[in-house]
Amino acid sequence: MQQDHIIFDLIKKERTRQESGLELIASENFVSQQVLDAMGTVLTNKYAEGLPGKRYYGGCEVVDEIETLAIDRIRELFGAEWANVQPHSGAQANAAVMLALLKPGDKILGFDLSHGGHLTHGSPVNFSGKLYQPAFYGVDKNTGRIDWDEVGRIAAREKPKLIICGASAYSRDWNYKQLREIADTNQALLMADIAHPAGFIARKILEDPLKYCHVVTTTTHKTLRGPRGGLIMMGKDFENPFGLKTPKGKIRMMSSLLDSGVFPGTQGGPLEHVIAAKAVAFQEALSDDFLKYIRQVQKNARKMAEQFMKKGYKIISDGTDNHLMLIDLRSRDLNGKQAEDALIRADITINKNMVPFDDKSPFVTSGMRLGTAAVTTRGLLEDDMIKIVELIDQVLSNIDREGLILDVKKEVNDWMSQYPLFK
Ligand code: DSN
């Protein structure tokens, strides 16, 4: 067959883009060569609906071993009793959990998207806000932090069936213990979506939701540094709280409901090549090198936030506990779109982001979100964060000076050429 030069040339172009720029999108990271290698394999040819040992197709002996290893490794990493590694993404993991735990029309309580939450936590444009009835909590206007007592008051008023914690743009840790008390008081289930801080939680650097939440979902490609994908875990399996029984009268465990939520509930055949890459990444995340890495991500984020604040930028909640920060640009007389557009011309990639109580649309926004997971994989340390903030500030203070932005771009490209990413 003829080689598809068009696509492979484009892949090469994207690789050059990744290598030559400064990657500060908080949800992105760079996987290792062995994670990449596992994804581009013959495993993509295999259908394997079902679970290891219980498949709907023959020839699954090998993928059974791979998927079992992925499950064992993620359980070891998080201290989970049960896990399903098949969700194709975090959104799919959340859809599977909601299908398993809720009926259409049930009420859910999530963190407001415009305050840093996620589409799948009840946004009206997403399945979660269309199939279920959403209510929201947000951050306190003065502190930029979630007030846990206020969440309790909202839960008492709204009486949700499911409380969702977790975010896409919240730089502080979560009080899972108090959230569980709120859930118990209101007879709700508690789900944590730890897509962003998963790498910190795995290595016990941030609070552990598995101790308190009924169910935990995550993506695998952010701070966990694996392939693009999702998964579901439980610290401890338990008898389902709805008293559902099988036709033979057996009480169903929550794990069996969640497994069915993934398949046949919301997905077909699992992506075994991605599951193999997840298994490789989980093994990496168990290593001492990863522990050193994830600690450095946090140190870098703190340094970066400190530098931005020194230069007069407003960071929501005045700092960060994890890898990301949300900056309100209104005091600089800029919006998120202007900042994103100017920085990309200097090969610095961030994303425009709504800030709490934003007065602009999601296409413009008043803020930008940055994270340190990818640049730390690249090998950058705290002193480098000072330089990054300096470069960003130069661009944002001169968004109409094309010559200056080109100089910054050249500096970024020269700098990054000293940190090769791929073999
Ligand atoms: N799109 C992801 C993020 O950037 O945080 C969340 O799904």
Side-chain angles (χ1 to χ4, degrees):
M1 210 176 296
Q2 237 196 344
Q3 164 115 48
D4 186 342
H5 291 295
I6 302 174
I7 286 294
F8 283 98
D9 284 350
L10 285 170
I11 293 173
K12 222 186 216 158
K13 219 168 145 185
E14 169 61 11
R15 186 181 156 133
T16 305
R17 188 196 68 81
Q18 290 186 16
E19 278 204 303
S20 54
L22 257 178
E23 184 51 72
L24 295 167
I25 291 181
S27 47
E28 294 191 9
N29 209 332
F30 301 114
V31 298
S32 68
Q33 189 61 46
Q34 56 174 351
V35 169
L36 271 185
D37 290 344
M39 265 183 291
T41 59
V42 295
L43 297 171
T44 193
N45 297 331
K46 190 71 199 101
Y47 248 122
E49 275 143 320
L51 288 166
K54 286 184 280 184
R55 306 280 193 185
Y56 288 83
Y57 290 86
C60 288
E61 316 76 64
V62 180
V63 292
D64 274 5
E65 281 192 54
I66 290 171
E67 191 168 332
T68 302
L69 267 171
I71 294 167
D72 289 348
R73 288 175 181 179
I74 198 71
R75 286 179 50 216
E76 184 183 348
L77 186 59
F78 282 90
E81 184 174 10
W82 170 90
N84 184 310
V85 295
Q86 293 187 358
H88 303 328
S89 69
Q92 293 285 123
N94 291 346
V97 171
M98 288 185 217
L99 186 80
L101 305 186
L102 301 170
K103 290 195 293 297
D106 277 352
K107 186 166 273 187
I108 58 176
L109 175 62
F111 184 39
D112 196 329
L113 178 63
S114 66
H115 284 213
H118 192 254
L119 274 173
T120 58
H121 300 178
S123 162
V125 297
N126 181 261
F127 78 89
S128 55
K130 288 181 192 280
L131 295 182
Y132 310 105
Q133 205 190 320
F136 298 101
Y137 55 92
V139 297
D140 179 272
K141 201 165 187 172
N142 294 319
T143 63
R145 295 178 185 241
I146 297 166
D147 172 347
W148 309 108
D149 294 337
E150 177 63 8
V151 180
R153 286 188 283 275
I154 297 171
R157 187 182 71 220
E158 299 288 343
K159 290 282 173 218
K161 283 266 175 57
L162 178 71
I163 298 176
I164 303 168
C165 52
S168 278
Y170 187 62
S171 62
R172 297 300 181 176
D173 206 357
W174 291 73
N175 190 339
Y176 303 110
K177 185 168 184 288
Q178 190 171 346
L179 285 167
R180 177 58 187 262
E181 285 160 13
I182 294 168
D184 286 346
T185 306
N186 294 286
Q187 288 156 354
L189 289 169
L190 180 63
M191 174 184 115
D193 175 345
I194 60 166
H196 272 270
F200 295 102
I201 291 165
R203 300 312 301 259
K204 310 279 177 258
I205 289 171
L206 292 178
E207 284 297 322
D208 184 2
L210 279 96
K211 280 209 293 222
Y212 301 106
C213 300
H214 297 95
V215 187
V216 175
T217 62
T218 184
T219 55
T220 46
H221 49 271
K222 299 185 175 94
T223 52
L224 212 45
R225 208 164 57 174
R228 191 157 290 280
L231 61 90
I232 311 173
M233 298 179 276
M234 279 189 291
K236 270 216 128 343
D237 197 3
F238 58 102
E239 283 180 8
N240 90 71
F242 318 115
L244 293 177
K245 292 187 179 155
T246 66
K248 288 186 184 150
K250 268 188 16 201
I251 291 174
R252 296 196 65 180
M253 296 303 286
M254 187 56 95
S255 53
S256 82
L257 290 175
L258 293 171
D259 279 334
S260 319
V262 177
F263 172 81
T266 49
Q267 290 189 176
L271 312 176
E272 292 295 340
H273 55 306
V274 178
I275 289 174
K278 286 176 181 172
V280 173
F282 302 157
Q283 183 83 317
E284 290 178 354
L286 282 159
S287 68
D288 291 344
D289 278 353
F290 186 86
L291 180 59
K292 207 168 137 209
Y293 158 72
I294 199 72
R295 282 188 178 136
Q296 189 63 48
V297 172
Q298 192 182 43
K299 285 188 208 157
N300 284 353
R302 283 183 180 160
K303 184 53 129 189
M304 184 183 277
E306 186 187 300
Q307 286 304 116
F308 272 119
M309 288 188 292
K310 268 192 195 160
K311 287 198 175 289
Y313 287 82
K314 168 66 190 157
I315 306 240
I316 304 298
S317 86
D318 301 318
T320 179
D321 295 331
N322 52 35
H323 60 301
L324 66 81
M325 64 213 67
L326 186 55
I327 299 181
D328 189 335
L329 293 163
R330 283 178 286 198
S331 59
R332 314 288 298 201
D333 230 3
L334 280 175
N335 63 49
K337 188 172 176 346
Q338 287 170 318
E340 185 183 285
D341 289 350
L343 288 167
I344 203 62
R345 300 205 299 279
D347 280 352
I348 300 173
T349 326
I350 56 103
N351 66 281
K352 62 177 176 293
N353 213 99
M354 301 283 278
V355 293
F357 312 100
D358 210 323
D359 53 347
K360 300 192 183 67
S361 83
F363 297 103
V364 177
T365 80
S366 294
M368 62 176 186
R369 184 187 67 161
L370 299 90
T372 54
V375 286
T376 309
T377 294
R378 200 104 199 223
L380 302 193
L381 302 171
E382 283 118 298
D383 279 351
D384 301 312
M385 302 303 119
I386 301 174
K387 180 165 168 183
I388 290 178
V389 174
E390 195 56 52
L391 293 172
I392 290 176
D393 186 48
Q394 275 181 38
V395 173
L396 295 187
S397 307
N398 297 282
I399 60 165
D400 296 323
R401 288 179 60 190
E402 217 43 54
L404 181 140
I405 292 179
L406 277 177
D407 288 346
V408 173
K409 175 179 152 76
K410 187 170 175 336
E411 190 169 347
V412 165
N413 297 156
D414 290 346
W415 188 22
M416 287 303 101
S417 69
Q418 295 158 34
Y419 294 87
L421 251 184
F422 306 106
K423 269 196 297 199

